[in-house]
Structure formats: C-alpha cells, structure tokens
Amino acid sequence: MDYKELIILIVIALLLLVAMRFGRRQGKGTRAERLMKKYAVMTRKMIDNAPEGELVDGAVSRVLAKAAEARRPDPVVVLAGLPHANTTVYAVWVVCKEMAASGYAAMMKTAAREFADLARESFADIGAVQCAAAWEALHTAEEQTDESEQALRSAIQNECPLSLCEEYIRDHAEDFIDTPAE
C-alpha cells in the first residue's frame, strides 16, 4: 500500500467519523429536549395517553419549555404564573431528583433550595404523608443527621411520590392543560 492509498483511507475514515457524529446530533436529541418539545403545550389527550413514568417528567419539561420560551431560565418565575398544582408537582420532582443525586446538604446549595419550604406541603398534597413527615423532620431540624436523611430516602422509596404525582396530575388535569381538549 502506498502513501496515496493510506491518505485516502484516512480521509474516508475521518469522513465516516464526522458523518456518524453529526448524524447522532441531528437525531432525536436528549430525553429532556424531546420531552420539552413534546410537552411544551399540554393537552388533555397528552395527559391521558402519557406512558407510565413519563407524565411527571413531561409536566416538569413543560415548565422548563415555558421558561426557555420566555427566555427566563428560572422555573420559579414561570411557576408563579401557573396554577398551584404545577408548583406542587415541580417541588416533589426536584426534591426526589436532588435527594437521589446528591442528598439534602448538596440540594440546599443549589437552586432547588427555592422549593424546600414548599416540599412538605407538596408531599402532603399528592398523598405522600410519610415523605411529608420525613421532609419536615429533616428540613426543620437544627442539625440534619444521616438518620433523618435516610428516613426521607426510605419514605420516598416506600411511597413512590413520583408515581403519586402522576395520579395527582391526572386528578388535576385542568391545572396542567394549556389548550382546550381536542
């Protein structure tokens, strides 16, 4: 094999790598991007037909899409203009996700702390009474302990608040719908 053939093979390999890389990016995008696009405008039909486990993420993605559309990266501002049920679901979602990812102390150092005072009420609103009690004990304690944080984690595991959020969204669908029923 001479150097010309080698150069041609290298160029072809580089073109294939570039095509594969750009082909992936032009595909469906990240899950968050797909959900933000899909749920940017929520309808009753979307709520009724959402796959199990996607409705809560869809409701949260709707808030994030509205924030992006309004060029306001702060979902708190968007939530202020939506019915309270949206804040309830968002608060439960953010606490569950932050607790799974990092824990209470780390969560209180992020923007998620904005929802800390709403979390107990939000857990109670969706019917997660163990989570509400465990959150209250953890959040109002003068010093957070591993035991109180573990109590919240156990309550989250036992009550599955994100599943309860799906029921809550379906029960309060009118608060999540952006357009009239189709």
Side-chain angles (χ1 to χ4, degrees), residues 19-164:
M20 287 181 359
R21 184 174 180 107
F22 284 109
R24 259 188 261 141
R25 286 189 181 167
Q26 292 173 355
K28 296 180 180 178
T30 66
R31 181 173 189 267
E33 290 168 341
R34 287 191 316 272
L35 290 173
M36 284 175 63
K37 186 175 180 179
K38 180 178 179 179
Y39 291 101
V41 177
M42 187 83 79
T43 64
R44 179 66 194 205
K45 186 176 180 182
M46 293 171 85
I47 291 172
D48 292 342
N49 296 327
E52 187 174 329
E54 185 176 287
L55 186 55
V56 176
D57 289 341
V60 169
S61 295
R62 173 178 162 261
V63 171
L64 298 176
K66 288 182 183 307
E69 182 181 292
R71 301 196 190 287
R72 292 185 216 142
D74 187 359
V76 175
V77 175
V78 174
L79 286 165
L82 296 173
H84 181 69
N86 292 270
T87 304
T88 297
V89 169
Y90 195 91
V92 170
W93 178 85
V94 79
V95 168
C96 289
K97 296 298 182 179
E98 289 291 330
M99 289 301 295
S102 57
Y104 181 82
M107 183 183 98
M108 296 309 287
K109 294 177 184 172
T110 69
R113 73 183 172 280
E114 298 275 339
F115 297 93
D117 292 334
L118 299 170
R120 189 209 54 77
E121 176 188 343
S122 297
F123 279 125
D125 285 350
I126 65 162
V129 292
Q130 291 175 13
C131 291
W135 177 262
E136 182 75 10
L138 176 63
H139 186 59
T140 60
E142 287 192 29
E143 186 174 316
Q144 287 69 38
T145 64
D146 290 340
E147 292 80 21
S148 60
E149 189 165 325
Q150 186 54 44
L152 177 59
R153 289 180 193 280
S154 293
I156 289 171
Q157 185 174 1
N158 291 337
E159 289 186 307
C160 302
L162 295 178
S163 294
L164 293 173

